Amino acid sequence: MDFSSVQKLCIHLISSAYQRCRLSEDLCRLSVVLESNLGTPIARVSISDTGTGSCLEEFQDLKCSREGIGTETWDGLLSVKTTDMSDNKIYHYHLNLRESVSSRRLTRLPSIPKNDAKFSGTEVCLSISDTIDALLTEIKRFFQKMLILMIPCVAAELVVKRGDAPALLCENVFLPNECSPLNFSSSNVERFKSGLEEYVLKHGNSLNNKCDSCFRSREQLKISSGVACSMESQRGPGLIVEAVIAISEHAESPCFRSCSNKAEVLHFKDFLPCSVPGASLNALTSIDWRSYGLTLGSVVDQDDHALIEWENLPPHLHLHMAIHCYHKQVIIYPGKYKYQPDRHLIKKAVKLALDDFKGKYTGFLLSAHAVKICSYAPDLASSIAGIILSSNDSEFRSKCALLLGLLQSQEIGRKTIEDCINGKIISVIETNDRKPEKSKETAPFLFEDDRPLELEPIPYSEEYEGGDDVFSFPD
């Protein structure tokens, strides 16, 4: 077996350990230990968890390429120890994946009595004849993505040991999502949002460290979500699709400067990271991105994620997206249901997340039409300000100032008036653009006072004279 196949096998074993922890519905610990001894070419990989006891069929039916098994990289042997809460023994097996017949892979070894202790868990070990650096990179990447889901009942530990002496321990990373403000009652989508936020703050390339050079404040990161559900039926328990959108602002970011026009899309299925399915790629290309002020360049599959390239994303913005498809039931045992992600459900969830973003944050994801209208706002504001300032009637100007919300006791310049009117025009455009197309109504009044006010009609006169100004406009 080549080393890339060994990497995939290890990730699969870690994924199975995560699922056993989820199925236990209790606090669990997952530990991955990579150990290499000086002077020997052998590296040991140990994956252990305190989740539900393992099902042996899971290992006997491993889909693993047998080409190269037994050569210099890996001998094809797995050592498995497992016990369930109801067992009175810890069972020990050897699995030989070189054996083509799954029923012949298993060798039973002497079991270990539990002496009436109540616990469950599984440990899987294998030895490889290669360095662990490449394997470490893949496992770190897997953990980085798993942390986005913020599964509340699992604390994961990644340990790397090089050499026999404790002083040569190079890494010991504990990953319990300790910074999360969420509690166990938080919904999956709230955890998903918080997890993507942490992932972006760490740029997806660090398990522990936030980049302070790019993110001096969390306010630089804005996030939204959308959830779409399908109905349950006899053929399946129903599906939930969650989509989370994050947009970060960087005036001068050394980390994002070279890829500001690209968005990373991560995909998860039943609480595990996976490659982006064709249904998601089709859903992303079918969205009317111009209604959110974006022009789609391309969507490219990158094996473990997808890249969306934009033609007009401002260089100081960076967009991130994560999609999670899972069954409505809290616990789904592996292999019980097989389904293909629904393109329409994914598209709906992403659009809901985009609409949620527009509703929460002003000035972001405006449609191309709204952006064009906003470009006329400064000229219109200048014209209205000119009309106000050209009048010699103090009462008229006072009423205008009141409607604009300006303080009447201060001396107000032309730029202040123009900026105020320009802001109100853009606010009305943005408010109307944030409403769904079907619910759009007449735009609110451009100038609207905060309190009820009955205005008397201003009599027309060719020339206004007299009267003390409530406040004065400079020439």
Side-chain angles (χ1 to χ4, degrees):
M1 175 180 287
D2 58 28
F3 192 67
S4 63
S5 297
V6 175
Q7 292 175 338
K8 292 179 181 178
L9 173 66
C10 290
I11 297 300
H12 175 81
L13 295 174
I14 299 173
S15 299
S16 297
Y18 257 110
Q19 292 291 46
R20 288 192 293 270
C21 290
R22 283 189 60 244
L23 294 176
S24 72
E25 295 188 301
D26 201 358
L27 286 172
C28 294
R29 181 188 182 101
L30 190 156
S31 181
V32 178
V33 180
L34 308 178
E35 186 173 3
S36 61
N37 295 323
L38 296 177
T40 65
I42 304 299
R44 185 175 183 271
V45 182
S46 172
I47 302 164
S48 60
D49 67 87
T50 60
T52 58
S54 174
C55 177
L56 289 179
E57 286 80 0
E58 173 190 341
F59 294 100
Q60 289 178 318
D61 296 336
L62 274 176
K63 302 299 182 182
C64 190
S65 173
R66 289 184 293 276
E67 294 182 7
I69 292 181
T71 59
E72 63 275 5
T73 302
W74 182 49
D75 58 9
L77 295 179
L78 291 178
S79 174
V80 180
K81 294 180 181 178
T82 185
T83 186
D84 199 12
M85 194 69 69
S86 60
D87 295 332
N88 57 14
K89 295 180 181 180
I90 301 173
Y91 299 100
H92 190 189
Y93 307 93
H94 272 176
L95 284 163
N96 185 359
L97 297 186
R98 290 174 296 182
E99 176 58 62
S100 59
V101 181
S102 60
S103 60
R104 298 177 183 174
R105 291 180 173 181
L106 185 68
T107 301
R108 296 180 182 272
L109 300 176
S111 57
I112 304 170
K114 293 171 64 174
N115 299 323
D116 296 327
K118 294 293 183 181
F119 63 89
S120 63
T122 302
E123 181 184 34
V124 185
C125 298
L126 65 151
S127 298
I128 58 175
S129 300
D130 211 322
T131 63
I132 60 175
D133 294 320
L135 182 59
L136 177 61
T137 300
E138 290 298 314
I139 293 176
K140 276 189 172 183
R141 175 66 174 164
F142 176 83
F143 274 127
Q144 287 157 3
K145 291 192 287 186
M146 282 302 304
L147 286 176
I148 295 176
L149 294 173
M150 284 199 165
I151 298 174
C153 59
V154 184
E157 181 185 39
L158 172 60
V159 180
V160 181
K161 297 181 180 180
R162 302 181 191 269
D164 298 322
L168 296 178
L169 178 68
C170 74
E171 289 190 55
N172 191 339
V173 184
F174 193 61
L175 312 168
N177 293 321
E178 70 279 1
C179 297
S180 173
L182 304 177
N183 53 42
F184 278 80
S185 62
S186 299
S187 65
N188 288 328
V189 70
E190 286 300 320
R191 295 185 179 281
F192 201 27
K193 287 170 61 178
S194 182
L196 183 63
E197 180 179 8
E198 291 294 327
Y199 177 85
V200 175
L201 290 173
K202 298 170 185 176
H203 298 170
N205 58 19
S206 172
L207 290 174
N208 291 320
N209 300 320
K210 182 173 76 73
C211 182
D212 292 323
S213 64
C214 293
F215 292 98
R216 296 179 178 88
S217 169
R218 285 180 178 264
E219 294 179 358
Q220 294 173 277
L221 181 62
K222 297 173 174 59
I223 197 162
S224 65
S225 63
V227 181
C229 306
S230 69
M231 299 296 294
E232 297 184 28
S233 67
Q234 293 181 348
R235 299 179 60 185
L239 297 176
I240 296 176
V241 178
E242 298 170 348
V244 179
I245 305 289
I247 294 182
S248 51
E249 298 180 86
H250 309 278
E252 288 292 335
S253 169
C255 304
F256 290 120
R257 186 183 296 121
S258 61
C259 57
S260 60
N261 66 329
K262 296 181 177 66
E264 181 184 44
V265 181
L266 298 173
H267 205 282
F268 299 83
K269 178 180 176 181
D270 284 331
F271 297 91
L272 288 173
C274 67
S275 58
V276 182
S280 288
L281 297 177
N282 291 335
L284 293 173
T285 55
S286 65
I287 292 174
D288 179 17
W289 292 103
R290 289 186 177 276
S291 63
Y292 302 98
L294 297 170
T295 301
L296 181 67
S298 62
V299 180
V300 182
D301 187 7
Q302 299 284 322
D303 292 333
D304 67 336
H305 67 282
L307 280 180
I308 299 180
E309 186 169 0
W310 311 105
E311 293 182 1
N312 64 334
L313 189 68
H316 66 283
L317 297 182
H318 195 77
L319 193 149
H320 319 258
M321 186 185 308
I323 300 170
H324 185 197
C325 305
Y326 61 96
H327 292 89
K328 283 186 177 181
Q329 292 183 13
V330 176
I331 297 178
I332 293 293
Y333 289 87
K336 184 176 181 181
Y337 294 104
K338 293 183 178 180
Y339 68 94
Q340 292 296 325
D342 188 313
R343 178 178 72 90
H344 299 289
L345 211 60
I346 295 171
K347 179 179 178 180
K348 181 179 179 181
V350 173
K351 284 178 61 63
L352 288 172
L354 291 167
D355 291 337
D356 181 44
F357 200 101
K358 289 180 68 170
K360 289 167 62 176
Y361 306 108
T362 59
F364 286 90
L365 300 182
L366 293 177
S367 67
H369 181 62
V371 171
K372 183 177 181 180
I373 296 175
C374 284
S375 66
Y376 300 124
D379 290 339
L380 180 57
S382 178
S383 299
I384 298 175
I387 294 174
I388 296 173
L389 293 173
S390 65
S391 173
N392 294 322
D393 186 330
S394 61
E395 185 178 2
F396 169 74
R397 293 184 304 190
S398 297
K399 297 291 187 183
C400 291
L402 184 64
L403 290 173
L404 289 171
L406 298 174
L407 296 176
Q408 300 181 37
S409 60
Q410 66 180 8
E411 188 175 284
I412 303 173
R414 183 184 182 95
K415 186 177 186 307
T416 301
I417 299 174
E418 287 186 10
D419 289 345
C420 182
I421 297 173
N422 184 71
K424 288 182 175 292
I425 294 173
I426 292 177
S427 177
V428 170
I429 296 171
E430 290 181 351
T431 299
N432 202 49
D433 192 62
R434 286 196 299 270
K435 296 178 181 178
E437 194 67 34
K438 293 182 180 179
S439 66
K440 285 188 178 179
E441 301 173 354
T442 304
F445 290 109
L446 177 59
F447 304 128
E448 189 173 6
D449 195 12
D450 292 334
R451 65 181 188 278
L453 179 67
E454 295 184 3
L455 296 180
E456 297 180 0
I458 301 174
Y460 172 78
S461 175
E462 294 183 358
E463 184 177 0
Y464 297 98
E465 297 178 356
D468 296 331
D469 289 355
V470 179
F471 63 95
S472 59
F473 291 95
D475 295 333

